[in-house]
Amino acid sequence: MIKKVLVANRGEIAIRVMRSCRELGLITVAVFSEADRKSLHVRYADEAYCIGPPPSRESYLNIDSIIEVAKKSGADAIHPGYGFLSENPKFPERCVEAGIIFIGPSAYSIATMGDKVTARQTMTKAGVLVVPGTTYSITEEKQAVEVVNEIGLPVMIKASAGGGGKGMRLVRNNNDLIHYFRTAKSEALNAFGDDSVYIEKYIESPHHIEFQILADRHGNVIHLFERECSIQRRHQKVIEETPSPLMTPLLREEMGRVACAAAKAVNYEGAGTIEFIVNDNLEYYFLEMNTRLQVEHPITERVVGVDLVKEQIKIANGLPLTLKQENLRQDGHAIQCRIYAEDPDHDFMPQPGIIRQITVPLGLGVRYDGYVYEGYEIPMYYDPLISKLISWGKTRRESLDRMRRALYEYKITGVKTNIKFLERIMDVPAFLEGKYNTNFIENNKEVLFTPKKCGTECEDMAMIACFIDYLEKIEKVQPQKFTEDLASNWKDFGRKRSVLRL
Ligand code: ADP
């Protein structure tokens, strides 16, 4: 049985995983890059080890260092969180070689579902309907033209190794095809070291609806209902909710069954998510599978009443699922907002920097999964997610009112965030009525973004003026040593075991 867990991740998800470990009485080991020395996940863990310089490929993506720390610390299991190594099939392989339990699916499941073309082939064989398009990679421009002639515009060109919306292009016009084909390929090569792409039909008025599944080693597969993730920017989720306003009981049952069949087709073990694209006629198509814990898992936890990390650990221990499909219910409604250090008015540009002041929302029906504190410097090296705010209510309306109230309470100064932008979304009629699709942000840009009162030139001048004012101020005021003085060291002193710091 697992006794000591190394969490191969950082930020909010590392803390989230460690919380469940603590409740289970397991010892936790954090790993951190040199940029994360003062990160809360380092303080939260029972032990913490530096694994390298700030760039991810030299630290959080460095399998050798992580396995070495696991061995040195005596961790018997590794939880990958999401992102980083969580969907790299080499990672579970290396864990198995080292005699360490990987809290997640097998290398085979990850490899099959991780390559989108292989996943499409596998799902088609299993009788799961995929988005119409090719089930092979397209290398030649001539081939791309032939496929588009056959399936018709609009289409999506997508990277086989895709993720994070990279290497993806929507083609509505024949004249754009070759240009987008080339840019998708080069972006895919840059991001994934693999330029294979495939083409699928663009589904109009798309809704992104996904199903949470859990599968054990004994052949039991269940689903924990759906999450609606259609509020997206750059094809990436910003707000998620469950139940989905689009869903009907019949469709839920059917899609849940298909999701379980999809997981079974790859002998899945652990927590995973089957993503679907659904159109306005409620026709649904398999999009992809995420073979890990999702960023948006807390809304399912709240509504279904299940701790998904504890379930992952139980499954990794080889125990059978005790949850039964027929006993699961959706209780009330939950919404999650992703809080990013980014500037919605400037193409959602990341805004690393020092958090000067933070007031975290609390109160009935609010969950907060975060990792920053006053004086903390958000590093420029990683995803700018600061926290996740989750609201719950007996009804969608109550959940939404609580989210609006929580966003109002949430104050962060020092870095720009998307909090105001999210607050505006809460008041858009289409969101209030639950009648939206993935075009929501584009369709409501007039009310969501700050109107530009003058041209960009005028705005640039204003930014320069602010910057000069800022420089003058910091010349006059002694800079506060935030990170050193305001960050409490209580956890270090209280730690039972030694902390290895470079
Ligand atoms: P990634 O793995 O890069 O995140 P996905 O395949 O999961 O890419 O797609 C991300 C988002 O892009 C979807 O949630 C959806 O909004 C949009 N999308 C992807 N494929 C299609 C499609 N065929 N039709 C319409 N929208 C799509």
Side-chain angles (χ1 to χ4, degrees), residues 116 131 156 158 162-166 168 198 200-204 206 208 229 232 235-237 275 277 287-288 290 438:
K116 294 190 179 193
V131 180
M156 292 285 264
K158 291 168 109 172
K166 294 200 185 90
M168 191 187 288
Y198 66 99
E200 65 183 28
K201 188 91 187 141
Y202 177 76
I203 306 297
E204 297 285 1
H208 176 121
C229 311
Q232 302 185 349
H235 301 303
Q236 296 304 295
K237 303 156 192 168
E275 296 188 338
I277 282 281
L287 188 62
E288 66 163 345
N290 288 138
T438 61

PDB file of all heavy atoms in Angstrom, residues 116 131 156 158 162-166 168 198 200-204 206 208 229 232 235-237 275 277 287-288 290 438, ligand 1:
ATOM      1  N   LYS A 116      -3.601  11.862 -31.162  1.00  0.00           N
ATOM      2  CA  LYS A 116      -5.014  12.030 -31.519  1.00  0.00           C
ATOM      3  C   LYS A 116      -5.425  11.158 -32.705  1.00  0.00           C
ATOM      4  O   LYS A 116      -6.573  10.714 -32.773  1.00  0.00           O
ATOM      5  CB  LYS A 116      -5.310  13.498 -31.798  1.00  0.00           C
ATOM      6  CG  LYS A 116      -5.171  14.332 -30.544  1.00  0.00           C
ATOM      7  CD  LYS A 116      -5.698  15.726 -30.740  1.00  0.00           C
ATOM      8  CE  LYS A 116      -5.555  16.499 -29.456  1.00  0.00           C
ATOM      9  NZ  LYS A 116      -6.288  17.735 -29.425  1.00  0.00           N
ATOM     10  N   VAL A 131     -15.351  12.864 -34.487  1.00  0.00           N
ATOM     11  CA  VAL A 131     -15.669  13.974 -35.389  1.00  0.00           C
ATOM     12  C   VAL A 131     -15.269  13.540 -36.802  1.00  0.00           C
ATOM     13  O   VAL A 131     -14.156  13.031 -36.999  1.00  0.00           O
ATOM     14  CB  VAL A 131     -14.889  15.263 -34.992  1.00  0.00           C
ATOM     15  CG1 VAL A 131     -15.240  16.408 -35.943  1.00  0.00           C
ATOM     16  CG2 VAL A 131     -15.171  15.659 -33.554  1.00  0.00           C
ATOM     17  N   MET A 156     -11.194  21.765 -39.300  1.00  0.00           N
ATOM     18  CA  MET A 156     -10.136  22.083 -38.335  1.00  0.00           C
ATOM     19  C   MET A 156      -8.903  21.289 -38.743  1.00  0.00           C
ATOM     20  O   MET A 156      -9.012  20.071 -38.963  1.00  0.00           O
ATOM     21  CB  MET A 156     -10.519  21.637 -36.924  1.00  0.00           C
ATOM     22  CG  MET A 156     -11.649  22.388 -36.286  1.00  0.00           C
ATOM     23  SD  MET A 156     -11.167  24.022 -35.745  1.00  0.00           S
ATOM     24  CE  MET A 156     -10.780  23.755 -34.049  1.00  0.00           C
ATOM     25  N   LYS A 158      -5.590  19.890 -37.209  1.00  0.00           N
ATOM     26  CA  LYS A 158      -5.149  19.694 -35.827  1.00  0.00           C
ATOM     27  C   LYS A 158      -3.877  18.865 -35.747  1.00  0.00           C
ATOM     28  O   LYS A 158      -3.701  17.925 -36.525  1.00  0.00           O
ATOM     29  CB  LYS A 158      -6.250  18.977 -35.032  1.00  0.00           C
ATOM     30  CG  LYS A 158      -7.466  19.842 -34.800  1.00  0.00           C
ATOM     31  CD  LYS A 158      -8.605  19.030 -34.283  1.00  0.00           C
ATOM     32  CE  LYS A 158      -8.875  19.334 -32.842  1.00  0.00           C
ATOM     33  NZ  LYS A 158     -10.120  18.673 -32.397  1.00  0.00           N
ATOM     34  N   GLY A 162      -1.365  17.076 -30.463  1.00  0.00           N
ATOM     35  CA  GLY A 162      -1.899  18.351 -29.936  1.00  0.00           C
ATOM     36  C   GLY A 162      -2.267  18.394 -28.476  1.00  0.00           C
ATOM     37  O   GLY A 162      -2.494  17.381 -27.828  1.00  0.00           O
ATOM     38  N   GLY A 163      -2.360  19.594 -27.972  1.00  0.00           N
ATOM     39  CA  GLY A 163      -2.748  19.884 -26.599  1.00  0.00           C
ATOM     40  C   GLY A 163      -2.636  21.384 -26.402  1.00  0.00           C
ATOM     41  O   GLY A 163      -1.871  22.034 -27.117  1.00  0.00           O
ATOM     42  N   GLY A 164      -3.443  21.918 -25.478  1.00  0.00           N
ATOM     43  CA  GLY A 164      -3.372  23.350 -25.170  1.00  0.00           C
ATOM     44  C   GLY A 164      -3.748  24.234 -26.349  1.00  0.00           C
ATOM     45  O   GLY A 164      -3.360  25.396 -26.408  1.00  0.00           O
ATOM     46  N   GLY A 165      -4.503  23.678 -27.290  1.00  0.00           N
ATOM     47  CA  GLY A 165      -4.967  24.474 -28.435  1.00  0.00           C
ATOM     48  C   GLY A 165      -3.869  24.782 -29.444  1.00  0.00           C
ATOM     49  O   GLY A 165      -4.086  25.535 -30.395  1.00  0.00           O
ATOM     50  N   LYS A 166      -2.693  24.176 -29.264  1.00  0.00           N
ATOM     51  CA  LYS A 166      -1.569  24.486 -30.177  1.00  0.00           C
ATOM     52  C   LYS A 166      -1.634  23.615 -31.432  1.00  0.00           C
ATOM     53  O   LYS A 166      -2.075  22.474 -31.381  1.00  0.00           O
ATOM     54  CB  LYS A 166      -0.239  24.264 -29.474  1.00  0.00           C
ATOM     55  CG  LYS A 166      -0.030  25.236 -28.347  1.00  0.00           C
ATOM     56  CD  LYS A 166       1.444  25.336 -27.971  1.00  0.00           C
ATOM     57  CE  LYS A 166       1.622  26.226 -26.768  1.00  0.00           C
ATOM     58  NZ  LYS A 166       1.540  25.470 -25.508  1.00  0.00           N
ATOM     59  N   MET A 168      -3.481  24.133 -34.031  1.00  0.00           N
ATOM     60  CA  MET A 168      -4.884  23.972 -34.433  1.00  0.00           C
ATOM     61  C   MET A 168      -5.319  25.180 -35.257  1.00  0.00           C
ATOM     62  O   MET A 168      -5.045  26.318 -34.880  1.00  0.00           O
ATOM     63  CB  MET A 168      -5.708  23.892 -33.155  1.00  0.00           C
ATOM     64  CG  MET A 168      -7.134  23.478 -33.366  1.00  0.00           C
ATOM     65  SD  MET A 168      -8.072  23.609 -31.844  1.00  0.00           S
ATOM     66  CE  MET A 168      -7.453  22.287 -30.901  1.00  0.00           C
ATOM     67  N   TYR A 198      -3.816  16.241 -38.781  1.00  0.00           N
ATOM     68  CA  TYR A 198      -4.937  15.572 -39.457  1.00  0.00           C
ATOM     69  C   TYR A 198      -6.040  16.611 -39.627  1.00  0.00           C
ATOM     70  O   TYR A 198      -5.940  17.733 -39.102  1.00  0.00           O
ATOM     71  CB  TYR A 198      -5.406  14.346 -38.670  1.00  0.00           C
ATOM     72  CG  TYR A 198      -6.016  14.658 -37.329  1.00  0.00           C
ATOM     73  CD1 TYR A 198      -7.398  14.704 -37.159  1.00  0.00           C
ATOM     74  CD2 TYR A 198      -5.221  14.932 -36.222  1.00  0.00           C
ATOM     75  CE1 TYR A 198      -7.965  15.004 -35.929  1.00  0.00           C
ATOM     76  CE2 TYR A 198      -5.775  15.230 -34.992  1.00  0.00           C
ATOM     77  CZ  TYR A 198      -7.145  15.263 -34.855  1.00  0.00           C
ATOM     78  OH  TYR A 198      -7.700  15.565 -33.639  1.00  0.00           O
ATOM     79  N   GLU A 200     -10.246  17.460 -39.519  1.00  0.00           N
ATOM     80  CA  GLU A 200     -11.598  17.017 -39.175  1.00  0.00           C
ATOM     81  C   GLU A 200     -12.591  18.132 -39.457  1.00  0.00           C
ATOM     82  O   GLU A 200     -12.223  19.307 -39.569  1.00  0.00           O
ATOM     83  CB  GLU A 200     -11.681  16.537 -37.719  1.00  0.00           C
ATOM     84  CG  GLU A 200     -11.448  17.590 -36.682  1.00  0.00           C
ATOM     85  CD  GLU A 200     -11.469  17.067 -35.244  1.00  0.00           C
ATOM     86  OE1 GLU A 200     -11.141  15.897 -35.006  1.00  0.00           O
ATOM     87  OE2 GLU A 200     -11.821  17.869 -34.363  1.00  0.00           O
ATOM     88  N   LYS A 201     -13.831  17.766 -39.581  1.00  0.00           N
ATOM     89  CA  LYS A 201     -14.906  18.713 -39.866  1.00  0.00           C
ATOM     90  C   LYS A 201     -15.060  19.660 -38.682  1.00  0.00           C
ATOM     91  O   LYS A 201     -14.968  19.236 -37.527  1.00  0.00           O
ATOM     92  CB  LYS A 201     -16.188  17.899 -40.074  1.00  0.00           C
ATOM     93  CG  LYS A 201     -17.350  18.697 -40.560  1.00  0.00           C
ATOM     94  CD  LYS A 201     -17.414  18.725 -42.078  1.00  0.00           C
ATOM     95  CE  LYS A 201     -18.508  19.679 -42.518  1.00  0.00           C
ATOM     96  NZ  LYS A 201     -18.114  20.457 -43.691  1.00  0.00           N
ATOM     97  N   TYR A 202     -15.262  20.944 -38.954  1.00  0.00           N
ATOM     98  CA  TYR A 202     -15.566  21.879 -37.873  1.00  0.00           C
ATOM     99  C   TYR A 202     -17.048  21.744 -37.566  1.00  0.00           C
ATOM    100  O   TYR A 202     -17.891  21.847 -38.460  1.00  0.00           O
ATOM    101  CB  TYR A 202     -15.224  23.315 -38.290  1.00  0.00           C
ATOM    102  CG  TYR A 202     -15.584  24.323 -37.223  1.00  0.00           C
ATOM    103  CD1 TYR A 202     -14.797  24.464 -36.091  1.00  0.00           C
ATOM    104  CD2 TYR A 202     -16.738  25.105 -37.334  1.00  0.00           C
ATOM    105  CE1 TYR A 202     -15.136  25.359 -35.089  1.00  0.00           C
ATOM    106  CE2 TYR A 202     -17.073  26.015 -36.335  1.00  0.00           C
ATOM    107  CZ  TYR A 202     -16.267  26.133 -35.217  1.00  0.00           C
ATOM    108  OH  TYR A 202     -16.610  27.018 -34.233  1.00  0.00           O
ATOM    109  N   ILE A 203     -17.360  21.484 -36.316  1.00  0.00           N
ATOM    110  CA  ILE A 203     -18.761  21.334 -35.906  1.00  0.00           C
ATOM    111  C   ILE A 203     -19.293  22.728 -35.567  1.00  0.00           C
ATOM    112  O   ILE A 203     -18.775  23.396 -34.668  1.00  0.00           O
ATOM    113  CB  ILE A 203     -18.872  20.394 -34.669  1.00  0.00           C
ATOM    114  CG1 ILE A 203     -18.180  19.033 -34.942  1.00  0.00           C
ATOM    115  CG2 ILE A 203     -20.324  20.210 -34.236  1.00  0.00           C
ATOM    116  CD1 ILE A 203     -18.773  18.205 -36.060  1.00  0.00           C
ATOM    117  N   GLU A 204     -20.329  23.165 -36.276  1.00  0.00           N
ATOM    118  CA  GLU A 204     -20.885  24.513 -36.038  1.00  0.00           C
ATOM    119  C   GLU A 204     -21.626  24.566 -34.701  1.00  0.00           C
ATOM    120  O   GLU A 204     -22.142  23.550 -34.235  1.00  0.00           O
ATOM    121  CB  GLU A 204     -21.835  24.914 -37.178  1.00  0.00           C
ATOM    122  CG  GLU A 204     -21.174  25.023 -38.545  1.00  0.00           C
ATOM    123  CD  GLU A 204     -20.306  26.284 -38.735  1.00  0.00           C
ATOM    124  OE1 GLU A 204     -20.190  27.094 -37.796  1.00  0.00           O
ATOM    125  OE2 GLU A 204     -19.746  26.434 -39.839  1.00  0.00           O
ATOM    126  N   PRO A 206     -20.492  24.775 -31.653  1.00  0.00           N
ATOM    127  CA  PRO A 206     -19.987  23.648 -30.841  1.00  0.00           C
ATOM    128  C   PRO A 206     -20.113  23.858 -29.330  1.00  0.00           C
ATOM    129  O   PRO A 206     -19.901  24.955 -28.827  1.00  0.00           O
ATOM    130  CB  PRO A 206     -18.512  23.573 -31.240  1.00  0.00           C
ATOM    131  CG  PRO A 206     -18.168  24.899 -31.840  1.00  0.00           C
ATOM    132  CD  PRO A 206     -19.429  25.623 -32.192  1.00  0.00           C
ATOM    133  N   HIS A 208     -18.562  22.122 -25.882  1.00  0.00           N
ATOM    134  CA  HIS A 208     -17.577  21.164 -25.361  1.00  0.00           C
ATOM    135  C   HIS A 208     -18.184  20.547 -24.102  1.00  0.00           C
ATOM    136  O   HIS A 208     -18.367  21.233 -23.103  1.00  0.00           O
ATOM    137  CB  HIS A 208     -16.260  21.886 -25.048  1.00  0.00           C
ATOM    138  CG  HIS A 208     -15.240  20.985 -24.420  1.00  0.00           C
ATOM    139  ND1 HIS A 208     -14.015  20.749 -24.980  1.00  0.00           N
ATOM    140  CD2 HIS A 208     -15.269  20.254 -23.276  1.00  0.00           C
ATOM    141  CE1 HIS A 208     -13.335  19.915 -24.220  1.00  0.00           C
ATOM    142  NE2 HIS A 208     -14.075  19.604 -23.173  1.00  0.00           N
ATOM    143  N   CYS A 229     -17.889  22.767 -20.754  1.00  0.00           N
ATOM    144  CA  CYS A 229     -16.660  23.586 -20.779  1.00  0.00           C
ATOM    145  C   CYS A 229     -16.626  24.475 -22.027  1.00  0.00           C
ATOM    146  O   CYS A 229     -15.585  24.608 -22.666  1.00  0.00           O
ATOM    147  CB  CYS A 229     -15.424  22.698 -20.767  1.00  0.00           C
ATOM    148  SG  CYS A 229     -15.441  21.428 -19.511  1.00  0.00           S
ATOM    149  N   GLN A 232     -14.666  29.398 -23.607  1.00  0.00           N
ATOM    150  CA  GLN A 232     -13.249  29.199 -23.940  1.00  0.00           C
ATOM    151  C   GLN A 232     -12.653  30.439 -24.583  1.00  0.00           C
ATOM    152  O   GLN A 232     -13.341  31.170 -25.285  1.00  0.00           O
ATOM    153  CB  GLN A 232     -13.103  28.045 -24.949  1.00  0.00           C
ATOM    154  CG  GLN A 232     -13.654  26.732 -24.472  1.00  0.00           C
ATOM    155  CD  GLN A 232     -13.369  25.591 -25.450  1.00  0.00           C
ATOM    156  OE1 GLN A 232     -12.939  25.823 -26.569  1.00  0.00           O
ATOM    157  NE2 GLN A 232     -13.603  24.368 -25.030  1.00  0.00           N
ATOM    158  N   HIS A 235      -9.525  28.488 -27.780  1.00  0.00           N
ATOM    159  CA  HIS A 235      -9.837  27.065 -27.691  1.00  0.00           C
ATOM    160  C   HIS A 235      -9.458  26.468 -26.328  1.00  0.00           C
ATOM    161  O   HIS A 235      -9.311  25.252 -26.206  1.00  0.00           O
ATOM    162  CB  HIS A 235      -9.141  26.256 -28.793  1.00  0.00           C
ATOM    163  CG  HIS A 235      -9.512  26.701 -30.179  1.00  0.00           C
ATOM    164  ND1 HIS A 235     -10.810  26.738 -30.616  1.00  0.00           N
ATOM    165  CD2 HIS A 235      -8.759  27.131 -31.207  1.00  0.00           C
ATOM    166  CE1 HIS A 235     -10.832  27.168 -31.856  1.00  0.00           C
ATOM    167  NE2 HIS A 235      -9.605  27.435 -32.240  1.00  0.00           N
ATOM    168  N   GLN A 236      -9.263  27.301 -25.309  1.00  0.00           N
ATOM    169  CA  GLN A 236      -8.937  26.782 -23.985  1.00  0.00           C
ATOM    170  C   GLN A 236      -9.971  27.250 -22.966  1.00  0.00           C
ATOM    171  O   GLN A 236     -10.426  28.385 -23.014  1.00  0.00           O
ATOM    172  CB  GLN A 236      -7.526  27.227 -23.566  1.00  0.00           C
ATOM    173  CG  GLN A 236      -6.425  26.654 -24.452  1.00  0.00           C
ATOM    174  CD  GLN A 236      -6.444  25.135 -24.519  1.00  0.00           C
ATOM    175  OE1 GLN A 236      -6.217  24.454 -23.544  1.00  0.00           O
ATOM    176  NE2 GLN A 236      -6.749  24.581 -25.699  1.00  0.00           N
ATOM    177  N   LYS A 237     -10.298  26.337 -22.022  1.00  0.00           N
ATOM    178  CA  LYS A 237     -11.399  26.594 -21.095  1.00  0.00           C
ATOM    179  C   LYS A 237     -11.108  27.707 -20.091  1.00  0.00           C
ATOM    180  O   LYS A 237      -9.982  27.839 -19.619  1.00  0.00           O
ATOM    181  CB  LYS A 237     -11.682  25.308 -20.310  1.00  0.00           C
ATOM    182  CG  LYS A 237     -12.000  24.126 -21.206  1.00  0.00           C
ATOM    183  CD  LYS A 237     -11.707  22.801 -20.510  1.00  0.00           C
ATOM    184  CE  LYS A 237     -11.741  21.661 -21.501  1.00  0.00           C
ATOM    185  NZ  LYS A 237     -11.197  20.411 -20.946  1.00  0.00           N
ATOM    186  N   GLU A 275     -13.700  13.688 -23.800  1.00  0.00           N
ATOM    187  CA  GLU A 275     -14.230  14.970 -24.279  1.00  0.00           C
ATOM    188  C   GLU A 275     -15.047  14.755 -25.556  1.00  0.00           C
ATOM    189  O   GLU A 275     -14.630  14.014 -26.452  1.00  0.00           O
ATOM    190  CB  GLU A 275     -13.082  15.933 -24.578  1.00  0.00           C
ATOM    191  CG  GLU A 275     -12.278  16.290 -23.335  1.00  0.00           C
ATOM    192  CD  GLU A 275     -11.249  17.399 -23.576  1.00  0.00           C
ATOM    193  OE1 GLU A 275     -10.851  17.615 -24.735  1.00  0.00           O
ATOM    194  OE2 GLU A 275     -10.856  18.032 -22.594  1.00  0.00           O
ATOM    195  N   ILE A 277     -17.572  16.855 -28.633  1.00  0.00           N
ATOM    196  CA  ILE A 277     -18.127  18.081 -29.221  1.00  0.00           C
ATOM    197  C   ILE A 277     -19.583  17.768 -29.516  1.00  0.00           C
ATOM    198  O   ILE A 277     -19.887  16.713 -30.106  1.00  0.00           O
ATOM    199  CB  ILE A 277     -17.382  18.446 -30.530  1.00  0.00           C
ATOM    200  CG1 ILE A 277     -16.042  19.087 -30.215  1.00  0.00           C
ATOM    201  CG2 ILE A 277     -18.197  19.336 -31.435  1.00  0.00           C
ATOM    202  CD1 ILE A 277     -16.119  20.554 -29.824  1.00  0.00           C
ATOM    203  N   LEU A 287     -14.023  13.737 -29.087  1.00  0.00           N
ATOM    204  CA  LEU A 287     -13.002  14.726 -29.446  1.00  0.00           C
ATOM    205  C   LEU A 287     -11.621  14.208 -29.051  1.00  0.00           C
ATOM    206  O   LEU A 287     -10.720  14.099 -29.869  1.00  0.00           O
ATOM    207  CB  LEU A 287     -13.318  16.047 -28.734  1.00  0.00           C
ATOM    208  CG  LEU A 287     -12.518  17.274 -29.099  1.00  0.00           C
ATOM    209  CD1 LEU A 287     -12.739  17.628 -30.560  1.00  0.00           C
ATOM    210  CD2 LEU A 287     -12.945  18.446 -28.221  1.00  0.00           C
ATOM    211  N   GLU A 288     -11.461  13.897 -27.768  1.00  0.00           N
ATOM    212  CA  GLU A 288     -10.199  13.322 -27.293  1.00  0.00           C
ATOM    213  C   GLU A 288     -10.379  12.816 -25.869  1.00  0.00           C
ATOM    214  O   GLU A 288     -11.390  13.091 -25.232  1.00  0.00           O
ATOM    215  CB  GLU A 288      -9.061  14.350 -27.353  1.00  0.00           C
ATOM    216  CG  GLU A 288      -9.234  15.511 -26.411  1.00  0.00           C
ATOM    217  CD  GLU A 288      -7.927  16.277 -26.177  1.00  0.00           C
ATOM    218  OE1 GLU A 288      -6.847  15.762 -26.501  1.00  0.00           O
ATOM    219  OE2 GLU A 288      -8.008  17.382 -25.636  1.00  0.00           O
ATOM    220  N   ASN A 290      -8.468  12.834 -22.078  1.00  0.00           N
ATOM    221  CA  ASN A 290      -7.372  13.307 -21.230  1.00  0.00           C
ATOM    222  C   ASN A 290      -7.120  12.256 -20.171  1.00  0.00           C
ATOM    223  O   ASN A 290      -8.005  11.936 -19.368  1.00  0.00           O
ATOM    224  CB  ASN A 290      -7.713  14.657 -20.591  1.00  0.00           C
ATOM    225  CG  ASN A 290      -7.681  15.785 -21.608  1.00  0.00           C
ATOM    226  OD1 ASN A 290      -8.532  16.648 -21.614  1.00  0.00           O
ATOM    227  ND2 ASN A 290      -6.697  15.769 -22.495  1.00  0.00           N
ATOM    228  N   THR A 438     -19.139  27.476 -27.760  1.00  0.00           N
ATOM    229  CA  THR A 438     -17.729  27.896 -27.638  1.00  0.00           C
ATOM    230  C   THR A 438     -17.450  29.251 -28.300  1.00  0.00           C
ATOM    231  O   THR A 438     -16.366  29.796 -28.138  1.00  0.00           O
ATOM    232  CB  THR A 438     -16.762  26.835 -28.222  1.00  0.00           C
ATOM    233  OG1 THR A 438     -17.057  26.672 -29.601  1.00  0.00           O
ATOM    234  CG2 THR A 438     -16.879  25.504 -27.523  1.00  0.00           C
TER     235      THR A 438
HETATM  236  P1  ADP B   1      -6.453  20.566 -27.358  1.00  0.00           P
HETATM  237  O1  ADP B   1      -6.138  19.134 -27.015  1.00  0.00           O
HETATM  238  O2  ADP B   1      -5.341  21.269 -28.054  1.00  0.00           O
HETATM  239  O3  ADP B   1      -6.998  21.338 -26.186  1.00  0.00           O
HETATM  240  P2  ADP B   1      -9.046  19.816 -28.464  1.00  0.00           P
HETATM  241  O4  ADP B   1      -9.127  18.817 -29.545  1.00  0.00           O
HETATM  242  O5  ADP B   1      -9.384  19.331 -27.077  1.00  0.00           O
HETATM  243  O6  ADP B   1      -7.602  20.489 -28.473  1.00  0.00           O
HETATM  244  O7  ADP B   1      -9.964  21.049 -28.819  1.00  0.00           O
HETATM  245  C1  ADP B   1      -9.980  22.228 -28.038  1.00  0.00           C
HETATM  246  C2  ADP B   1     -11.215  23.043 -28.353  1.00  0.00           C
HETATM  247  O8  ADP B   1     -11.222  23.434 -29.737  1.00  0.00           O
HETATM  248  C3  ADP B   1     -12.530  22.310 -28.149  1.00  0.00           C
HETATM  249  O9  ADP B   1     -12.950  22.359 -26.813  1.00  0.00           O
HETATM  250  C4  ADP B   1     -13.444  23.088 -29.074  1.00  0.00           C
HETATM  251  O10 ADP B   1     -13.853  24.287 -28.493  1.00  0.00           O
HETATM  252  C5  ADP B   1     -12.537  23.406 -30.251  1.00  0.00           C
HETATM  253  N1  ADP B   1     -12.645  22.350 -31.283  1.00  0.00           N
HETATM  254  C6  ADP B   1     -11.792  21.338 -31.498  1.00  0.00           C
HETATM  255  N2  ADP B   1     -12.170  20.578 -32.540  1.00  0.00           N
HETATM  256  C7  ADP B   1     -13.318  21.100 -32.993  1.00  0.00           C
HETATM  257  C8  ADP B   1     -14.213  20.771 -34.062  1.00  0.00           C
HETATM  258  N3  ADP B   1     -13.987  19.741 -34.869  1.00  0.00           N
HETATM  259  N4  ADP B   1     -15.302  21.545 -34.256  1.00  0.00           N
HETATM  260  C9  ADP B   1     -15.530  22.613 -33.451  1.00  0.00           C
HETATM  261  N5  ADP B   1     -14.735  22.982 -32.446  1.00  0.00           N
HETATM  262  C10 ADP B   1     -13.635  22.249 -32.204  1.00  0.00           C
END
